[in-house]
Amino acid sequence: MILFQIIRILSEIIYIYSWILIIYILMSWFPGIRDSSIGRFLARICEPYLAPFRKIIPPIGGMIDISPWLAFIVLNLASRGINYLPALLY
């Protein structure tokens, strides 16, 4: 029973973080918004997770960064794995 609660909490955390990541990615489309207090706060939350993906996939042409989308896909797969875990255990 407690395992299901832990899985539910982890799933909710990943869901919320996914939305934070989407907002942070969309903020890159608007110049100057990342320099706001909200932008800096989201950068502190998102950049440590995005950094390893940026090492794997550098920006295309020095301008187009697709690594956040890979990071989002990995986060989504982790969420699916966590949600599938109870089926494996029981």
Side-chain angles (χ1 to χ4, degrees), residues 56-72:
I56 296 170
I57 303 174
I60 298 170
M63 295 184 67
I64 300 172
D65 189 9
I66 61 170
S67 61
W69 297 109
L70 176 63
F72 183 73

Side-chain angles (χ1 to χ4, degrees), residues 48-80:
Y49 177 67
L50 292 173
F53 295 98
R54 289 196 174 119
K55 289 179 184 176
I56 296 170
I57 303 174
I60 298 170
M63 295 184 67
I64 300 172
D65 189 9
I66 61 170
S67 61
W69 297 109
L70 176 63
F72 183 73
I73 290 170
V74 169
L75 198 60
N76 193 317
L77 290 174
S79 175
R80 289 179 186 210

Side-chain angles (χ1 to χ4, degrees), residues 1-59:
M1 187 69 171
I2 193 160
L3 178 65
F4 292 115
Q5 291 174 344
I6 292 170
I7 289 172
R8 187 180 61 78
I9 291 169
L10 284 174
S11 182
E12 287 295 318
I13 290 171
I14 290 174
Y15 177 76
I16 292 168
Y17 190 76
S18 295
W19 276 106
I20 291 171
L21 193 60
I22 289 170
I23 292 168
Y24 184 69
I25 291 167
L26 292 176
M27 285 174 64
S28 69
W29 295 357
F30 302 99
I33 199 166
R34 283 194 178 174
D35 293 330
S36 68
S37 60
I38 294 172
R40 288 189 299 271
F41 174 72
L42 292 179
R44 283 191 307 226
I45 294 172
C46 296
E47 284 300 327
Y49 177 67
L50 292 173
F53 295 98
R54 289 196 174 119
K55 289 179 184 176
I56 296 170
I57 303 174

